[in-house]
Amino acid sequence: MDYATYQSTAQPGSDFVATTGTLRFAPSLLAQSQTITVATTDDASDEADTETFGVNLAAATNATIVGYSNAGAARPGRVTIIDNDGPRPAP
């Protein structure tokens, strides 16, 4: 199964590292899980309290991506980045 990140309110390069790859699952084992690691980028910019990016799952072979009805179509997931730059200074 292929995966790829995509931008939403978070931007690749400045908020996270765009990531793609392929997950491989052993045949005949049910309820397997795998981890996708996406690096976030720390900066000193005061931004919104949270920003999001997505991860699409697609091209499952001999399997179904649960919760999505169109065979072979992408299954999006959403990731939230919480701002760590502290509160904005008072004007």
Side-chain angles (χ1 to χ4, degrees):
M1 167 183 330
D2 296 331
Y3 65 89
T5 57
Y6 63 90
Q7 72 182 48
S8 182
T9 56
Q11 301 298 308
S14 61
D15 297 312
F16 70 97
V17 177
T19 305
T20 62
T22 300
L23 302 172
R24 299 194 190 288
F25 295 88
S28 75
L29 295 176
L30 298 177
Q32 294 183 57
S33 64
Q34 296 214 12
T35 300
I36 298 169
T37 301
V38 180
T40 56
T41 305
D42 194 15
D43 59 29
S45 299
D46 188 29
E47 301 170 305
D49 290 339
T50 62
E51 295 179 293
T52 61
F53 67 90
V55 178
N56 276 331
L57 301 177
T61 302
N62 297 321
T64 301
I65 301 172
V66 176
Y68 203 69
S69 60
N70 295 335
R75 171 73 175 148
R78 182 168 307 276
V79 179
T80 300
I81 300 171
I82 299 172
D83 183 43
N84 66 350
D85 297 320
R88 294 180 180 169

